[in-house]
Amino acid sequence: MLRAFSHTNGRCAFHHAKCWHHRKSVLAIRREDVNAWERRAPLAPKHVKELTQMGYKVLVQPSNRRAIHEKDYIKAGGIIQEDISEASLIVGVKRPPEDKLIPKKNYAFFSHTIKAQEANMPLLDEILRQEIRLFDYEKMVDHKGMRVVAFGKWAGVAGMINILHGLGLRFLALGHHTPFMHIGMAHNYRNSSQAVQAVRDAGYEISLGLMPKSVGPLTFVFTGTGNVSKGAQEMFNALPCEFVEPHELKEVSRSGDLRKVYGTVLSRHHHLVRKRDGLYDPVDYDKHPELYTSRFSTDIAPYTTCLINGIYWEQHTPRLLSRQDAQKLLVPVRSAAGATEGCPELPHKLLAICDISADTGGSIEFMTECTTIDSPFCMYDADQHIIHDSVEGSGILMCSIDNLPAQLPIEATEYFGDMLFPYIEEMLLSEGSEPLESQNYSSIVRDAVIASNGSLTAKYEYIQKLRESREYAQSLKMSNKKRVLLLGSGYVSGPVLEYLTRDSNVDITVASVMKEQLEQLMKKYSTVTSVHIDVIKHEEKLSSLVKKHDLVISLLPYSAHPLVAKKCIDNKVNLVTASYLTPAMKELQESIEAAGITVISEMGLDPGLDHMLAMECIDKAKEVGATVVSYTSFCGGLPAPEHSDNPLRYKFSWSPQGVLLNTVQSATYLKNGEIINIPAGGALLDSVTPMDFFPGLNLEGFPNRDSTKYAEPYGIQTAHTLLRGTLRYKGYSKTVGGFVKLGLINPDPYPLLSSTMPPLTWKELMCKLVGIKLPAEYHVLKEAVFSKLEKDKSQLEAVEWLGLLGDEPVPAADSIVGALAKHMEMKLPFGTGERDMIVMRNEIGLRHPSGHLEDKFIDLVVYGDNKGYSAMAKTVGYPTAIAAKMVLDGEIDAKGMVIPLTKNVYGPILERVRAEGIVYSTRSVIKQ
């Protein structure tokens, strides 16, 4: 029954529907067209029937997508009609397209404009231009500020069903079949009653003790006390559940009954405390929320299996969970004695979050994008701060659909319509063209009018001010934005982009010759600009790109860095690279200093983290008066042992060409006071020694470049031994030595491999390299190669295994080593589920003032992630990105050539890489 209300201007009084307007008013229900899943309507047939019985005409736009059939609206007295222009009030659920608006009408829908949401400002502009009166359901509130028209309950119901389904999938991915596997997504049920029955069936199995014991008791935490939370709890109650107080969670999560599940409802006073005294004062909190912090991450989350979040976050209020909180919560638990491979324990307690609020960047800081009904779940990996579309892998299962009630459209429509119906008549009995002041609306309806007669209403004039302030802030932000040019799109670029894109004040352009890699990066980082270009071949375009940016990060091969550096000098732009500071780069030192720019080199793993770990130890030793008597550092990027099954015992997780060229460099090192020189061209591979500090890994090592040059910058001229080297699995050096013998590790230009020349096969190229005429029989070529390899069978087997004697085409390249690198990248990639590792060992011998000796051992071992970044990408990319950010922020302001040897540089970087999961260990051995 409609509320009784009256016009006070004396023209007419309305009580029920006994008094009629001067003409028959028309209501239209518009077709929803915002997305494929929007099957709701603002009014159900029962509401239409009541309106038509009261004498109103109701038009319903045809829609095969609407969950309630047209015949039901027709039966209720509605008229199915495309043209709704005669209606005085047009109602919908979601916003209409701008081009479907009809001037000077009354419209009611969720406009999402009250926060000056940028995406909906064109709609608001069009509403104002067409002098439309807009009622926004979101602002229909009672005297307490509580919404009187909302879908909230059904968001909670659908969200709870979905997350129970998601838990079934997540448990299965972790090795556990559970009763939740028999619960589907909310939209798979005809109505909520069917869903309740499915949940009850699952609950019955739980009550029989059919949950795997190794997963432990399950706990669900509900935030908020509104309709959203109540709807979720209503569905949860279909399980064999027991509600406990938040402080009881710890106990039940450890020793609760496996034949039931536990729930708790969280209010503010359970987790919010004032920073200065640890107390909660609700009045004070409402006035000064910034003075409070949340203890949710320490007091509640560690004992929570699934969080159902129904609260919105306001600026200056504490968040429930931050990214750092998630990292701590996802630390693997120790396996209990009873856990087995077939009956594993959960990796951590917090498994899933259903963020029904769908408030991106809100109370759950790392919920940065909503999921969809099509793709309802994703995994948040806190260590890498990445989200991947899966229920497998590391992290927290996330569900954050922003239109949950659309999954139960019939019940949601009836529920919403019941709430809206009491206010329909007063909205209907007015013309949008009439002045708002002449309408005798109730306060609930009047306060929901956003715009009327071409203007924002007084209550919402702030929207224009918000827009202006945001646009002003954006203009300032754009003028203050830091612009970064990233050259290269290979393995390392992912962590660099991931780290830098965390700051919305950094604009990034990626330039690369690898089109497919660029496309993949753009899919993941939509705010990044891509440029498909070979910067080496197009120097003018490179210069133009550099000129537009504040900083360049070069992930190109080291041979390209002098060219890039020259362009940076010309345009006075800072540069960061992870590669060695080569003689060619050193030659530019005066020009770099004259340009007043910062050029940072050796900011990766090796070189990079090896310097930083060494200098941290050396500086601490000097502080206590010790001197360094020896320094040895070995580092290598390797496949994890179980994935080293090929002749090289190697797979590529970074630049293949760089890996190959490193084997033909010269090397110089100091051993027991004697300088050892190894010439370029492959002699390095004859200087291999077994490395047994991790005996199970069967490693070998060989010197890397000129180690002696670090005596002065490290400040360790007192050392009698100074050696830096590369680690590989035993057998690598011998195999690569065969490639050197055959002339395959040759960086010189080789025009026959140019893309403009007819393609060569590997067989044809090998014939040229070993000096036999074409065509040649396979056995003739094989014998010639075997001879060139000095009859080494293992080296020949590697050549054959790689297909270098066959008819496969040689990739186009500038050089033979470039072609071999491309070929190896295809032959020796990391497969799905395979991971790499990096191993670093620094050994530093110290002599203390007392005369006793001490050996310091610093170990860094990092594994790659199956579905994330490789270990090499992380340990090169994150230090590079952190250094770049420090330059952008002015933390590194030294001009000229910089490598990370000073505490003001290495200190912050070592601290920040720990937050990215790059953790090292140190131990000492004292000698008398």
Side-chain angles (χ1 to χ4, degrees):
M1 188 62 67
L2 293 181
R3 292 180 306 105
F5 67 98
S6 63
H7 287 295
T8 56
N9 58 12
R11 288 185 302 161
C12 192
F14 294 86
H15 297 282
H16 284 300
K18 297 285 178 102
C19 185
W20 303 98
H21 198 257
H22 62 274
R23 70 178 182 81
K24 190 176 183 180
S25 294
V26 180
L27 169 76
I29 300 174
R30 66 172 301 275
R31 176 174 51 247
E32 298 299 325
D33 40 24
V34 67
N35 69 50
W37 285 99
E38 193 47 79
R39 300 174 292 156
R40 292 172 289 177
L43 296 171
K46 66 177 181 178
H47 307 117
V48 171
K49 182 177 181 179
E50 194 159 346
L51 285 167
T52 56
Q53 287 178 345
M54 295 167 61
Y56 296 108
K57 184 178 181 180
V58 180
L59 306 177
V60 181
Q61 270 194 323
S63 173
N64 288 348
R65 182 179 292 147
R66 194 181 291 122
I68 299 177
H69 200 277
E70 288 176 0
K71 69 178 184 180
D72 294 317
Y73 283 104
I74 294 171
K75 188 176 179 180
I79 300 169
I80 307 301
Q81 183 174 306
E82 183 66 32
D83 182 5
I84 55 174
S85 58
E86 69 173 301
S88 59
L89 173 65
I90 300 169
V91 294
V93 176
K94 296 292 190 178
R95 53 159 289 170
E98 287 97 296
D99 60 359
K100 298 288 179 68
L101 292 171
I102 303 173
K104 298 186 178 181
K105 297 290 184 183
N106 292 306
Y107 274 86
F109 55 87
F110 288 107
S111 73
H112 300 296
T113 59
I114 60 173
K115 295 180 182 178
Q117 290 96 318
E118 191 171 1
N120 292 321
M121 289 303 96
L123 171 68
L124 183 59
D125 288 339
E126 194 61 22
I127 285 170
L128 294 170
R129 190 184 72 79
Q130 297 198 31
E131 299 183 19
I132 287 168
R133 181 172 298 149
L134 170 62
F135 301 92
D136 194 318
Y137 305 134
E138 192 172 354
K139 297 308 293 180
M140 296 179 72
V141 298
D142 61 19
H143 66 283
K144 295 180 180 179
M146 302 297 291
R147 289 172 59 181
V148 297
V149 179
F151 286 101
K153 171 189 171 180
W154 292 98
V157 169
M160 194 69 216
I161 299 167
N162 292 341
I163 200 62
L164 292 176
H165 168 71
L167 278 170
L169 299 177
R170 179 58 178 156
F171 276 126
L172 190 64
L174 293 171
H176 309 280
H177 170 79
T178 66
F180 298 123
M181 281 299 296
H182 304 305
I183 300 174
M185 289 289 288
H187 59 267
N188 290 336
Y189 300 103
R190 186 179 300 274
N191 53 48
S192 62
S193 296
Q194 287 190 352
V196 167
Q197 188 57 52
V199 175
R200 282 178 180 160
D201 290 345
Y204 177 67
E205 293 187 11
I206 292 172
S207 69
L208 293 177
L210 299 183
M211 281 294 293
K213 292 182 180 179
S214 58
V215 306
L218 303 186
T219 55
F220 293 76
V221 173
F222 300 85
T223 61
T225 56
N227 289 330
V228 168
S229 182
K230 289 175 181 175
Q233 292 173 52
E234 183 179 304
M235 188 57 60
F236 180 71
N237 280 324
L239 294 170
C241 62
E242 178 184 340
F243 278 88
V244 298
E245 289 299 311
H247 70 269
E248 297 175 300
L249 268 187
K250 182 176 182 179
E251 179 62 28
V252 299
S253 73
R254 293 175 176 173
S255 57
D257 189 343
L258 295 180
R259 294 169 299 178
K260 64 173 72 171
V261 294
Y262 294 89
T264 193
V265 181
L266 198 69
S267 296
R268 288 178 177 178
H269 67 276
H270 290 126
H271 67 104
L272 293 176
V273 295
R274 199 160 35 215
K275 296 174 184 176
R276 62 179 169 83
D277 59 11
L279 300 177
Y280 175 71
D281 180 337
V283 176
D284 181 55
Y285 177 78
D286 286 338
K287 293 179 180 178
H288 303 291
E290 72 281 359
L291 301 179
Y292 286 73
T293 188
S294 172
R295 286 182 176 168
F296 179 80
S297 66
T298 56
D299 294 359
I300 309 294
Y303 317 110
T304 302
T305 305
C306 179
L307 167 65
I308 295 90
N309 183 43
I311 58 174
Y312 288 89
W313 180 73
E314 296 292 340
Q315 197 75 28
H316 308 304
T317 62
R319 285 187 165 96
L320 276 179
L321 288 174
S322 68
R323 181 195 171 199
Q324 288 72 27
D325 295 333
Q327 284 181 313
K328 294 173 184 175
L329 291 167
L330 296 189
V331 173
V333 297
R334 291 183 179 179
S335 294
T340 66
E341 184 177 353
C343 304
E345 285 194 325
L346 298 178
H348 38 76
K349 185 65 179 178
L350 182 59
L351 288 186
I353 296 175
C354 181
D355 193 353
I356 301 175
S357 74
D359 187 16
T360 55
S363 53
I364 311 296
E365 183 186 28
F366 47 85
M367 200 289 280
T368 55
E369 56 186 80
C370 291
T371 58
T372 65
I373 298 174
D374 293 308
S375 301
F377 305 111
C378 65
M379 293 293 296
Y380 173 68
D381 186 333
D383 283 336
Q384 294 201 36
H385 191 51
I386 59 173
I387 295 172
H388 51 89
D389 296 329
S390 175
V391 296
E392 299 180 350
S394 301
I396 304 171
L397 182 76
M398 303 285 292
C399 181
S400 52
I401 300 169
D402 63 359
N403 58 337
L404 285 166
Q407 292 184 272
L408 296 166
I410 295 176
E411 289 162 295
T413 294
E414 292 175 344
Y415 175 85
F416 185 83
D418 287 346
M419 301 179 80
L420 175 63
F421 189 72
Y423 308 99
I424 282 290
E425 191 175 28
E426 57 181 298
M427 290 190 280
L428 178 59
L429 295 179
S430 68
E431 292 293 332
S433 58
E434 296 174 352
L436 180 62
E437 297 76 18
S438 68
Q439 309 305 310
N440 190 25
Y441 294 138
S442 65
S443 61
I444 288 175
V445 172
R446 178 175 295 278
D447 287 348
V449 179
I450 306 293
S452 183
N453 310 106
S455 301
L456 293 169
T457 59
K459 186 178 176 67
Y460 298 100
E461 287 176 349
Y462 73 86
I463 293 177
Q464 182 59 30
K465 294 177 182 178
L466 270 182
R467 291 180 70 176
E468 291 171 357
S469 62
R470 184 186 65 229
E471 288 164 4
Y472 177 69
Q474 285 178 339
S475 66
L476 286 179
K477 195 173 182 181
M478 288 302 294
S479 64
N480 293 328
K481 275 206 168 191
K482 309 293 176 58
R483 297 160 298 173
V484 174
L485 174 63
L486 177 62
L487 300 177
S489 58
Y491 301 105
V492 176
S493 61
V496 173
L497 286 173
E498 189 278 317
Y499 189 87
L500 292 177
T501 52
R502 295 177 197 172
D503 185 348
S504 60
N505 202 35
V506 176
D507 269 346
I508 305 172
T509 299
V510 182
S512 173
V513 71
M514 306 301 288
K515 189 174 183 180
E516 288 186 6
Q517 289 180 349
L518 271 179
E519 290 172 351
Q520 289 300 314
L521 287 174
M522 294 311 102
K523 286 179 182 177
K524 189 170 184 180
Y525 301 101
S526 57
T527 60
V528 170
T529 303
S530 67
V531 179
H532 182 226
I533 182 177
D534 186 339
V535 295
I536 307 303
K537 293 182 178 178
H538 299 89
E539 291 189 30
E540 289 185 8
K541 290 183 178 179
L542 171 61
S543 185
S544 177
L545 277 173
V546 169
K547 187 176 183 179
K548 297 174 183 176
H549 293 83
D550 302 302
L551 181 138
V552 176
I553 300 173
S554 179
L555 301 179
L556 301 174
Y558 70 86
S559 57
H561 291 156
L563 170 64
V564 175
K566 288 174 185 176
K567 301 303 179 186
C568 289
I569 292 167
D570 293 342
N571 294 285
K572 293 182 167 51
V573 174
N574 298 321
L575 171 65
V576 176
T577 83
S579 301
Y580 278 103
L581 183 57
T582 61
M585 286 290 285
K586 282 186 176 179
E587 290 176 4
L588 301 173
Q589 183 162 348
E590 287 187 11
S591 300
I592 289 168
E593 291 173 354
I597 63 173
T598 302
V599 174
I600 300 181
S601 300
E602 307 193 6
M603 194 51 80
L605 167 65
D606 176 6
L609 288 176
D610 55 347
H611 293 330
M612 299 182 226
L613 294 173
M615 290 309 303
E616 183 181 51
C617 179
I618 291 167
D619 285 346
K620 287 180 179 178
K622 289 181 177 180
E623 287 174 7
V624 297
T627 56
V628 176
V629 295
S630 66
Y631 170 75
T632 304
S633 176
F634 277 85
C635 181
L638 306 161
E642 67 270 25
H643 305 309
S644 60
D645 53 344
N646 63 67
L648 263 75
R649 284 80 163 163
Y650 194 80
K651 292 185 178 181
F652 292 98
S653 61
W654 70 291
S655 168
Q657 186 165 333
V659 173
L660 295 172
L661 287 175
N662 280 347
T663 63
V664 293
Q665 300 288 338
S666 62
T668 302
Y669 62 95
L670 180 68
K671 185 175 182 180
N672 296 325
E674 179 185 357
I675 292 180
I676 310 294
N677 289 302
I678 301 173
L684 192 67
L685 299 172
D686 297 325
S687 303
V688 175
T689 55
M691 309 298 291
D692 59 358
F693 49 83
F694 292 135
L697 293 180
N698 199 22
L699 299 172
E700 64 183 24
F702 50 86
N704 192 1
R705 304 183 185 239
D706 184 0
S707 300
T708 62
K709 68 180 182 180
Y710 290 101
E712 184 176 344
Y714 278 16
I716 54 173
Q717 294 91 335
T718 53
H720 58 69
T721 295
L722 210 169
L723 171 61
R724 291 162 48 84
T726 299
L727 291 173
R728 294 289 183 262
Y729 288 123
K730 187 177 179 181
Y732 171 89
S733 300
K734 185 177 182 181
T735 301
V736 176
F739 300 152
V740 174
K741 293 175 188 176
L742 294 171
L744 289 168
I745 316 294
N746 187 345
D748 295 336
Y750 199 80
L752 288 178
L753 296 180
S754 168
S755 58
T756 60
M757 297 293 289
L760 283 177
T761 66
W762 279 107
K763 180 179 180 180
E764 290 169 336
L765 177 60
M766 292 299 291
C767 285
K768 293 178 181 295
L769 292 178
V770 298
I772 63 174
K773 293 183 179 181
L774 290 167
E777 295 292 333
Y778 182 88
H779 72 274
V780 174
L781 174 59
K782 180 177 176 179
E783 187 58 36
V785 168
F786 191 39
S787 178
K788 192 86 170 178
L789 294 174
E790 300 171 351
K791 306 295 183 178
D792 190 301
K793 290 183 179 180
S794 64
Q795 291 178 339
L796 178 63
E797 287 172 1
V799 170
E800 288 188 291
W801 187 90
L802 285 167
L804 301 183
L805 304 182
D807 294 323
E808 191 174 341
V810 180
D814 295 329
S815 63
I816 294 175
V817 70
L820 181 63
K822 290 180 179 180
H823 183 71
M824 284 190 165
E825 189 169 17
M826 292 185 288
K827 292 287 186 181
L828 295 170
F830 282 87
T832 303
E834 295 184 347
R835 57 181 183 161
D836 71 327
M837 65 185 295
I838 67 96
V839 179
M840 181 188 293
R841 159 61 71 92
N842 282 356
E843 298 182 9
I844 302 175
L846 305 175
R847 184 183 299 278
H848 287 271
S850 62
H852 75 268
L853 301 176
E854 178 184 8
D855 286 336
K856 286 276 191 181
F857 302 97
I858 305 167
D859 293 322
L860 174 65
V861 179
V862 178
Y863 282 89
D865 302 297
N866 290 343
K867 294 190 177 181
Y869 301 127
S870 68
M872 185 62 73
K874 289 191 288 187
T875 52
V876 175
Y878 281 122
T880 300
I882 292 167
K885 190 69 166 59
M886 290 174 70
V887 174
L888 291 173
D889 293 344
E891 287 185 82
I892 298 177
D893 56 5
K895 305 303 178 185
M897 311 286 289
V898 176
I899 57 176
L901 301 180
T902 56
K903 190 173 183 178
N904 67 310
V905 176
Y906 71 68
I909 295 175
L910 287 178
E911 180 182 347
R912 291 168 198 177
V913 296
R914 288 190 194 100
E916 310 304 329
I918 300 171
V919 181
Y920 58 92
S921 62
T922 304
R923 65 185 179 89
S924 294
V925 175
I926 305 295
K927 300 177 180 178
Q928 296 302 323

